[in-house]
Amino acid sequence: MSKFDSEKVMPRYFMVAVVLTVLGVAILGRALYIMTAKKEYWTEVADRLKRDSVSVKPNRGNILSCDGQLMASSIPEFKMFIDFQAMKESGKDTLWMEKLDFICKELHEIFPEKTAAEFKTHLEEGRNKVQRDGKVGSRHWPIWKRRVDFNKFSMVNSLPVLDMPFNMTHVADGYIVRASFKSGFNVEEYNARIRPFGSLAQRTIGDMYGAKDTARCGLELSYDSILRGTNGIVNRRKVLDKYRNITVLPPIDGADIVTTIDVNMQDLAERAVIDELKKIGGDLGVAILMEVKTGDVKAIVNMTRCADGVYREVKNNAVADLREPGSVFKTASFLVALDDGVVDTTYRIETGSGVYHMHGRDMKDHNWRNGGYHNISLPRALEVSSNIGVSRVIDEHYGNNPEKFVDGLYRVGIATDLHVPLVGATAPRIRRPRKNKRGQYENWSKTALPWMSIGYETQIPPISTVTFYNAIANDGRMMRPRFVKKIVKDGETLMEFPPEVIKEHIAKPQTIKTMQTILEHVVSQGLGKKAGSHSFKVAGKTGTAQIAEGGGYHSGTMKYWLSFCGFFPADKPLYTCIVCLKKSGLPASGGGMSGLVFHHISEGVMARYLKLSVEDAHDTTSVVIPDVKNGDLVAANTVLGRLGIKTDGGWNGAVANGQPVWGSTSRNSNSVTLSPLKMSGRTMPDVTGMGARDAVYLLESKGMKVKLNGRGRVRAQVPAYGQKLEPGDLCTLTLN
């Protein structure tokens, strides 16, 4: 190994260190030079190059109701600021101080919540802050802390000093359009989403996250890519301290979506649900109205009682809530049994005195304290919603083969995943029995099937239940719930979403007919009477279920899920509707509470379809022959002839030279008498009984001046009839 020669190596290391030190000092010096002496030059270069191309946001599409009414749209909103430093630099500070009192007075007129003195104190605070420290925050001083609409913005912009060119910051677009700094007036523009019908169907239509232009829920989120449109590109060049925008790629505005929601039906359903919730002190109310043939959702209501006691749409419970449906599920249980042929409508069930011991647990009917229903038929078991009747049928025929019953539930469509186009929508959960290798069922007790048959041990959202009942109303054809009909833009249809069939037949045609009849009897002679109507037939099923919270059913104040699902008119179904209410404590009745809401909704909807004959509208006490004013007999004769009313009297209908024929009228039992008026050129005609227009025309044609008092027919005239006239005389007519 060679010996280290420090005398030769160390001078070399020293030279390298010196060179690197000199180089570092030179770099630091150059940087300091650029930061100080060349700062203005490089700042201008940066301004020329900064954000050369920017993205431009398009206009978001609208959401429309089924008949084209606007349910959600975008409008600009503004936040207004003053840059007092820019105002001072432009020499407008003196003018500002001269006009300050007037500006504050006008601001108070625009925003009455704040006095002129408060505005003056606030604005002087911002001006003094700039003069004291010149901080950026104080150079962006808010005139009004909240956003304002275009009208108020225009009013502020018209005030002295503030009416000069200003800066506009497009918050949603992410760039600043610079104008002259003459006034220091700065504006931030936001793209605000509004709903002309307020909170109507709010959770279904959806919300936006303010200025972020980001959809939060509902159709706004599900169809965000369609509503949003496509960003454009603007190339920006700075010329003489002003930016010039050159459009490279124009933005493409979003398309509009036409929903299936009917505004009138939605309003009707919301009011019916809220009224009943207030009446019973309910916590939650859900209603869905569906068109039978298409599956169109015409109304969807989700009302939750908030902490302040007001009912609002907080969550789309209609599509997101998984709950044990209760007795409305019994229809599916019997439909499976009837379709499998294990029972028919003549089948009889012994329900005893209302309490039946089933696999170690007591199954009870709602009237067990009154002695029960004893021996009843299968249709009657559904009419009176007998828990024992339904569970005994299913347990006796499927107890040894529960898979067959659950397969039947999937076959009739109650467990179908509907793929609802709303974020948060859930599919039904009906668990299947599973056998282990030893042939034994795992996590499946003997009581599972009986309690499942009456609506427990399953979790089904209301949208699935109403879709199932809609299939029964539609003769077995199950339609997918439709929320959007088409996508349009500039009056042209870009895409249509036709009605979609999920299952062509959920059961045999005869089974469906039988179930339709039974459901009609539930309303006409069963527990669903309050859901019925005197004007049309209704079919449906009631449901009252205890709600399991915290892992079980607890004593104390029990919570109940009350429901009614059905369709109307039962003989020719047009709509299917489900109403679900959540309340605490007794009384709790699906038929008496939810059924009553169903009644109000169905009656209101069908009022649009009921047509009465003309004979029904005829009033025997009414006057058939109209009361005709005196005046132009030609016009009166024409109108009466068009109405088919006979005219008679001294005038035969002849018109001389197209001139009016003046006269009086009188009403008879089946005709109107028209009598010409005898007039002399120099005497006052009789204009009493005439309308103001005819009377004035007649008198002015004779050269008279007319003064009117009151309105209606002529009651009195001065001069009187027959008095001599001279051209230019004044005639005063009193009308009533």
Side-chain angles (χ1 to χ4, degrees):
M1 178 179 291
S2 60
K3 185 179 179 182
F4 177 75
D5 191 351
S6 60
E7 294 181 359
K8 293 182 178 180
V9 174
M10 290 305 296
R12 297 175 184 174
Y13 277 112
F14 178 75
M15 289 299 297
V16 171
V18 170
V19 171
L20 291 176
T21 301
V22 172
L23 184 60
V25 171
I27 293 174
L28 291 175
R30 183 63 177 174
L32 184 62
Y33 173 75
I34 293 174
M35 292 171 62
T36 55
K38 291 291 185 178
K39 177 182 179 181
E40 184 176 352
Y41 169 79
W42 287 112
T43 300
E44 292 178 358
V45 172
D47 286 340
R48 289 198 301 268
L49 298 178
K50 184 173 60 178
R51 305 195 67 177
D52 185 57
S53 295
V54 295
S55 177
V56 181
K57 297 284 185 180
N59 294 318
R60 190 174 180 86
N62 301 317
I63 298 179
L64 309 172
S65 66
C66 64
D67 57 353
Q69 297 188 68
L70 201 62
M71 299 195 76
S73 185
S74 296
I75 62 169
E77 287 186 345
F78 307 88
K79 288 190 73 173
M80 302 171 294
F81 305 88
I82 295 182
D83 184 348
F84 288 103
Q85 184 64 33
M87 182 186 295
K88 183 178 180 181
E89 292 172 355
S90 63
K92 301 298 179 183
D93 192 57
T94 303
L95 179 61
W96 168 262
M97 294 305 299
E98 291 177 359
K99 300 290 185 180
L100 181 58
D101 289 337
F102 177 78
I103 292 173
C104 292
K105 178 183 175 183
E106 293 298 311
L107 286 174
H108 167 63
E109 295 292 330
I110 300 171
F111 306 104
E113 301 95 323
K114 202 169 185 176
T115 65
E118 289 173 334
F119 269 114
K120 185 173 182 179
T121 301
H122 172 69
L123 294 175
E124 285 182 339
E125 179 185 354
R127 181 173 176 272
N128 295 334
K129 209 167 188 180
V130 169
Q131 291 180 337
R132 186 173 62 251
D133 52 32
K135 290 183 178 179
V136 175
S138 59
R139 297 187 60 176
H140 198 57
W141 195 255
I143 297 176
W144 185 248
K145 292 186 177 181
R146 295 192 296 272
R147 298 183 194 175
V148 299
D149 58 25
F150 181 77
N151 291 332
K152 289 190 175 181
F153 155 68
S154 299
M155 294 168 70
V156 174
N157 187 217
S158 65
L159 298 179
V161 183
L162 303 181
D163 59 351
M164 299 179 184
F166 59 88
N167 297 339
M168 176 75 79
T169 303
H170 295 263
V171 175
D173 298 349
Y175 68 90
I176 299 175
V177 178
R178 297 188 183 277
S180 174
F181 286 93
K182 291 182 179 180
S183 69
F185 187 40
N186 294 278
V187 180
E188 289 181 357
E189 181 181 4
Y190 295 82
N191 189 22
R193 198 70 166 167
I194 64 164
R195 289 186 298 272
F197 291 98
S199 62
L200 203 68
Q202 177 177 347
R203 202 68 189 182
T204 301
I205 298 303
D207 286 321
M208 303 287 293
Y209 282 114
K212 296 180 180 179
D213 193 29
T214 303
R216 188 161 67 98
C217 62
L219 296 174
E220 291 275 19
L221 180 58
S222 300
Y223 291 85
D224 184 57
S225 60
I226 294 171
L227 293 166
R228 180 180 295 277
T230 305
N231 291 351
I233 298 177
V234 170
N235 194 295
R236 303 175 64 234
R237 288 287 183 265
K238 190 174 183 182
V239 180
L240 299 177
D241 200 36
K242 292 184 179 180
Y243 278 103
R244 303 297 182 186
N245 296 329
I246 303 173
T247 302
V248 177
L249 183 67
I252 301 175
D253 292 342
D256 302 337
I257 62 172
V258 180
T259 70
T260 60
I261 300 295
D262 184 293
V263 172
N264 294 324
M265 294 183 183
Q266 179 72 31
D267 181 56
L268 170 69
E270 284 194 11
R271 285 188 285 109
V273 170
I274 292 176
D275 287 347
E276 186 66 17
L277 286 172
K278 290 179 179 179
K279 179 180 176 182
I280 66 175
D283 302 319
L284 172 67
V286 171
I288 307 172
L289 182 67
M290 180 179 288
E291 195 172 66
V292 170
K293 297 300 180 183
T294 62
D296 286 0
V297 176
K298 310 304 290 184
I300 179 168
V301 181
N302 305 274
M303 287 296 166
T304 301
R305 184 170 59 186
C306 300
D308 57 0
V310 178
Y311 291 96
R312 300 185 181 90
E313 290 213 345
V314 178
K315 177 185 177 183
N316 204 328
N317 307 89
V319 301
D321 274 13
L322 287 172
R323 294 186 181 274
E324 293 176 317
S327 296
V328 292
F329 190 83
K330 294 174 181 176
T331 302
S333 299
F334 269 3
L335 188 66
V336 171
L338 289 168
D339 201 48
D340 285 342
V342 298
V343 292
D344 58 25
T345 54
T346 64
Y347 190 86
R348 301 198 66 83
I349 313 156
E350 180 55 55
T351 64
S353 59
V355 180
Y356 186 80
H357 198 68
M358 186 171 286
H359 306 296
R361 291 179 62 185
D362 285 340
M363 178 72 73
K364 294 182 179 180
D365 279 339
H366 68 91
N367 71 333
W368 64 276
R369 290 186 176 87
N370 297 325
Y373 292 109
H374 299 284
N375 191 279
I376 56 176
S377 65
L378 183 139
R380 187 60 181 169
L382 206 58
E383 291 171 15
V384 298
S385 197
S386 171
N387 292 334
I388 296 174
V390 176
S391 60
R392 284 201 65 181
V393 167
I394 301 304
D395 188 60
E396 289 173 6
H397 292 89
Y398 297 95
N400 295 326
N401 188 11
E403 298 101 319
K404 184 179 180 181
F405 175 72
V406 176
D407 288 343
L409 293 177
Y410 278 83
R411 183 181 72 245
V412 300
I414 189 69
T416 301
D417 186 350
L418 302 176
H419 298 289
V420 173
L422 293 173
V423 176
T426 54
R429 295 177 185 174
I430 300 179
R431 63 192 184 102
R432 292 179 178 273
R434 303 290 183 185
K435 287 184 177 180
N436 56 27
K437 295 180 179 179
R438 293 173 293 180
Q440 298 174 334
Y441 289 110
E442 293 182 342
N443 299 320
W444 187 271
S445 65
K446 283 287 186 178
T447 60
L449 191 64
W451 264 262
M452 176 183 286
S453 69
I454 63 172
Y456 292 94
E457 302 214 10
T458 61
Q459 292 182 313
I460 300 178
I463 189 71
S464 294
T465 303
V466 75
T467 301
F468 167 70
Y469 275 78
N470 193 75
I472 296 176
N474 199 24
D475 296 328
R477 172 182 278 192
M478 179 173 280
M479 307 300 297
R480 191 181 306 282
R482 185 167 67 153
F483 289 85
V484 175
K485 296 171 66 174
K486 58 184 177 180
I487 299 170
V488 298
K489 188 174 184 180
D490 300 327
E492 296 184 4
T493 300
L494 304 181
M495 184 184 300
E496 288 193 75
F497 301 94
E500 183 181 351
V501 179
I502 301 176
K503 287 179 177 287
E504 195 65 44
H505 302 286
I506 65 170
K508 300 181 183 71
Q510 186 55 46
T511 306
I512 295 296
K513 291 293 182 185
T514 300
M515 186 54 67
Q516 289 174 344
T517 303
I518 295 175
L519 292 176
E520 183 181 338
H521 290 168
V522 170
V523 177
S524 62
Q525 56 198 41
L527 297 181
K529 290 182 180 179
K530 287 194 175 181
S533 171
H534 296 297
S535 303
F536 50 89
K537 294 181 179 179
V538 174
K541 180 69 184 73
T542 63
T544 304
Q546 295 178 355
I547 297 177
E549 294 186 340
Y553 305 94
H554 303 287
S555 58
T557 304
M558 183 67 70
K559 293 185 181 294
Y560 295 90
W561 185 250
L562 315 176
S563 54
F564 183 92
C565 191
F567 46 89
F568 59 92
D571 48 354
K572 193 175 181 181
L574 294 174
Y575 296 97
T576 305
C577 181
I578 187 171
V579 177
C580 302
L581 305 174
K582 178 184 176 183
K583 76 177 297 284
S584 301
L586 296 172
S589 170
M593 295 175 179
S594 295
L596 189 60
V597 178
F598 181 99
H599 164 80
H600 293 317
I601 294 174
S602 62
E603 289 256 306
V605 170
M606 289 306 297
R608 304 170 62 178
Y609 291 87
L610 295 178
K611 296 181 180 179
L612 302 177
S613 65
V614 176
E615 289 75 15
D616 294 333
H618 178 65
D619 183 1
T620 57
T621 63
S622 65
V623 178
V624 178
I625 303 301
D627 186 15
V628 184
K629 293 178 181 179
N630 297 342
D632 187 355
L633 299 185
V634 177
N637 185 70
T638 301
V639 174
L640 292 171
R642 295 287 180 88
L643 295 174
I645 297 173
K646 182 181 177 181
T647 59
D648 54 28
W651 181 60
N652 60 5
V655 182
N657 301 322
Q659 296 297 316
V661 177
W662 304 104
S664 61
T665 66
S666 61
R667 186 174 62 196
N668 306 315
S669 59
N670 59 356
S671 65
V672 176
T673 300
L674 306 178
S675 303
L677 179 66
K678 295 180 181 180
M679 293 187 297
S680 172
R682 294 186 178 183
T683 59
M684 178 69 180
D686 184 8
V687 296
T688 58
M690 292 187 182
R693 183 178 63 177
D694 284 351
V696 171
Y697 179 85
L698 174 58
L699 294 174
E700 288 186 344
S701 67
K702 289 180 171 291
M704 299 184 67
K705 297 179 180 179
V706 182
K707 178 182 179 182
L708 298 176
N709 294 320
R711 57 184 180 179
R713 295 189 185 192
V714 178
R715 178 168 56 88
Q717 63 181 55
V718 177
Y721 169 60
Q723 290 188 7
K724 291 185 178 181
L725 297 176
E726 295 293 337
D729 285 353
L730 176 66
C731 180
T732 302
L733 304 180
T734 303
L735 314 177
N736 66 356

